[in-house]
Amino acid sequence: MLSNLASNQWKAISMQFSTVAHVPAILRESASFVACEAGETIFRVGDPVRRAMLVLSGEVRLIRRDPNGREVILQRSTGGFIAEASLDSRVYHCDALAAQTCTLLVFPAKAFLAALDEDVAFRRAWQSLLAREVRKLRSQCERLSLNSAADRILHYIQAEGNNGTLSLTQSKKAWAAELGLTHEALYRTLRRMQDEGALQVDGHQWCVCSK
């Protein structure tokens, strides 16, 4: 349990995740660490929602499978709360998978919701976090609505990168799933875009070439 966690440790977590700075003391006392191995399933579709979870290290992915059994990534977190919207649900509507060995800071869902009801500053910080996630999901939905694989790739680099340059921090297979493509389609399109001069690659950095 984290009730005896030193104040400087809480401060370090709060500096990394601004929402945590507003977690009231009574909620902090109910928090705990959970360690997950790479490939471990954290929850499955239909499991009851019992915890609010913050990814401290590693990577967690929320996934569903399309009618053909292909994995689609709904959310990918290398730091921050995961499955935030599920707190308003009785059960989960997707799976959560530890893509890497990771550490989670978890809070009991009932205590978390009670704190949101009772603490104005915490509630406002949480609302700001949800607003950021909505903007991110809108961008993802816009990207997945594009028919062309090349358009999805360019959209991703422009939206998630910096000035047309993206440092890829995941495997291409994982990236393909996030783009809603098969990895074969992604590899083929990337190769064609490089041949056409639309993309330049330097290690793990992908840069959109200006026309």
Side-chain angles (χ1 to χ4, degrees), residues 36-45 47 51 95-98:
C36 301
E37 296 297 325
E40 182 177 342
T41 298
I42 298 169
F43 59 75
R44 298 183 184 276
V45 172
D47 285 349
R51 303 181 295 184
D95 297 339
L97 179 72

Side-chain angles (χ1 to χ4, degrees), residues 11-101:
K11 183 177 180 180
I13 297 174
S14 299
M15 289 178 65
Q16 186 177 2
F17 307 103
S18 58
T19 306
V20 175
H22 300 280
V23 172
I26 191 169
L27 181 57
R28 293 184 180 189
E29 293 176 358
S30 67
S32 59
F33 282 126
V34 173
C36 301
E37 296 297 325
E40 182 177 342
T41 298
I42 298 169
F43 59 75
R44 298 183 184 276
V45 172
D47 285 349
V49 178
R50 295 195 176 108
R51 303 181 295 184
M53 292 174 282
L54 174 71
V55 181
L56 293 175
S57 64
E59 180 182 333
V60 175
R61 296 175 188 167
L62 299 187
I63 60 174
R64 284 183 186 163
R65 298 191 180 277
D66 67 15
N68 296 318
R70 186 175 62 188
E71 183 179 288
V72 177
I73 298 176
L74 304 178
Q75 185 180 3
R76 172 176 171 261
S77 178
T78 56
F81 282 95
I82 194 84
E84 304 93 336
S86 296
L87 283 172
D88 287 326
S89 301
R90 186 177 59 85
V91 297
Y92 289 108
H93 298 94
C94 59
D95 297 339
L97 179 72
Q100 303 171 2
T101 299

Side-chain angles (χ1 to χ4, degrees), residues 134-176:
V134 167
R135 290 192 292 270
K136 183 176 180 180
L137 287 171
R138 281 177 177 170
S139 179
Q140 183 178 4
C141 288
E142 180 182 66
R143 181 161 54 248
L144 292 176
S145 71
L146 300 174
N147 292 324
S148 164
D151 286 344
R152 293 187 188 185
I153 292 167
L154 291 174
H155 185 287
Y156 189 97
I157 293 174
Q158 296 288 3
E160 305 295 333
N162 184 25
N163 294 324
T165 299
L166 173 75
S167 294
L168 193 63
T169 58
Q170 58 182 320
S171 69
K172 290 190 183 72
K173 187 174 182 180
W175 190 20

